[in-house]
Amino acid sequence: FGSDTRSKRYALQGSRWKVKALTYRISKYPKRLNRKEVDDEIAKAFNVWSEYTDLTFTAKKQNPVHIDIRFEESEHGDGDPFDGPGGTLAHAYFPVYGGDAHFDDAEYWTIKSTRGTNLFQVAAHEFGHSLGLSHSDVRSALMAPFYRGYDSNFRLDSDDIQGIQALYGRKTS
Amino acid sequence: TPIEDSFYLNFDSIEGTDDVDLYLSQFGYLSPSLRNPTSGNLIDANTWERAIMEFQSFAGLNATGDLDEETMELMQTPRCGVKDKVG
């Protein structure tokens, strides 16, 4: 946990990437969304974290990459099956376990809409795990575990910023 | 020494608690080591209540240990599949 004295705060899983220039690949796209739109939303979700650190994220079309992103349904090979619409929306692995992010393709993923589940917000949350953040017990934090609906004015909470900067330092430029 | 049945929660007899048990286990509030193998893997009532309280506290609810409506409702909220309590 963070070292301040507040009772509620971010949590660090315990691993982080040694490099700050990270690469990613969307190796399986969702069924219902346009690929270009998905590329843009995923890039935006990574930018949430690069805004406050020196981390950079570069999309690649081929392996090897640091973070592999897949939209999958039900059992998808990692022993942690998705449960269909609602319930769990996605999961991601901490750096020590590879950093990959999986999204339940049975969800109704949407972009800039109050309907369905907002892809950008969920992706930004999952990438927090990919970078080493665990769940926060601060309700307003992105790293809180519960989906809170589409927020058209989304900003990282100060708790998230403190968490990511505890791992990777402050942005220098 | 035989363990009194009443000391343990029998989830089969309480409607909906199978799902709650699964939820608490899935997100790190109940670990397999807390189950008592000599009594059909049932969970000590205090352990169950403590797990509910930890979930409530983490989620910003009143940590009563009771499986109230607000707690059940939050457990049905869509969420991330990663554990809240990472060991």
Side-chain angles (χ1 to χ4, degrees), chain A residues 5 53 77 88-89 93 121 147:
Chain A
T5 53
T53 62
T88 56
L89 305 172
Y93 292 88
Q121 286 170 214
Y147 179 69

Short mmCIF file of all heavy atoms in Angstrom, two decimals, chain A residues 5 53 77 88-89 93 121 147:
data_model
loop_
_atom_site.label_atom_id
_atom_site.label_comp_id
_atom_site.label_asym_id
_atom_site.label_seq_id
_atom_site.Cartn_x
_atom_site.Cartn_y
_atom_site.Cartn_z
N THR A 5 -0.60 8.12 5.46
CA THR A 5 -1.29 7.63 6.66
C THR A 5 -2.80 7.49 6.49
O THR A 5 -3.49 7.12 7.41
CB THR A 5 -1.03 8.60 7.83
OG1 THR A 5 -1.40 9.91 7.41
CG2 THR A 5 0.42 8.58 8.24
N THR A 53 3.43 9.88 -16.25
CA THR A 53 4.72 9.18 -16.08
C THR A 53 5.51 9.29 -17.38
O THR A 53 5.01 9.82 -18.38
CB THR A 53 4.50 7.67 -15.79
OG1 THR A 53 3.84 7.10 -16.94
CG2 THR A 53 3.65 7.44 -14.56
N GLY A 77 -8.38 -20.21 -22.28
CA GLY A 77 -7.03 -20.75 -22.24
C GLY A 77 -6.19 -20.36 -21.04
O GLY A 77 -5.08 -20.86 -20.90
N THR A 88 -18.03 -10.27 -14.34
CA THR A 88 -16.69 -9.76 -14.60
C THR A 88 -16.57 -9.33 -16.06
O THR A 88 -17.02 -10.02 -16.97
CB THR A 88 -15.60 -10.80 -14.27
OG1 THR A 88 -15.87 -11.99 -15.00
CG2 THR A 88 -15.59 -11.13 -12.80
N LEU A 89 -15.97 -8.16 -16.25
CA LEU A 89 -15.90 -7.55 -17.58
C LEU A 89 -14.59 -7.87 -18.28
O LEU A 89 -14.54 -7.95 -19.51
CB LEU A 89 -16.04 -6.03 -17.45
CG LEU A 89 -17.27 -5.52 -16.71
CD1 LEU A 89 -17.17 -4.01 -16.49
CD2 LEU A 89 -18.53 -5.85 -17.51
N TYR A 93 -3.15 -9.24 -16.26
CA TYR A 93 -2.08 -9.84 -15.47
C TYR A 93 -1.05 -8.79 -15.08
O TYR A 93 -0.71 -7.92 -15.86
CB TYR A 93 -1.44 -10.99 -16.25
CG TYR A 93 -2.42 -12.12 -16.41
CD1 TYR A 93 -3.31 -12.16 -17.48
CD2 TYR A 93 -2.51 -13.11 -15.43
CE1 TYR A 93 -4.25 -13.18 -17.60
CE2 TYR A 93 -3.45 -14.11 -15.53
CZ TYR A 93 -4.31 -14.14 -16.61
OH TYR A 93 -5.25 -15.14 -16.69
N GLN A 121 -12.75 3.17 -20.52
CA GLN A 121 -12.59 3.18 -19.06
C GLN A 121 -12.15 1.82 -18.54
O GLN A 121 -11.27 1.74 -17.67
CB GLN A 121 -13.90 3.60 -18.38
CG GLN A 121 -14.18 5.08 -18.52
CD GLN A 121 -15.58 5.47 -18.06
OE1 GLN A 121 -16.17 6.37 -18.62
NE2 GLN A 121 -16.12 4.81 -17.05
N TYR A 147 -17.33 -1.27 -11.98
CA TYR A 147 -17.62 -0.42 -13.14
C TYR A 147 -18.67 0.60 -12.73
O TYR A 147 -19.72 0.24 -12.20
CB TYR A 147 -18.13 -1.28 -14.31
CG TYR A 147 -18.47 -0.45 -15.51
CD1 TYR A 147 -17.47 0.19 -16.25
CD2 TYR A 147 -19.79 -0.29 -15.94
CE1 TYR A 147 -17.78 0.97 -17.36
CE2 TYR A 147 -20.10 0.48 -17.05
CZ TYR A 147 -19.09 1.11 -17.75
OH TYR A 147 -19.39 1.88 -18.84
#
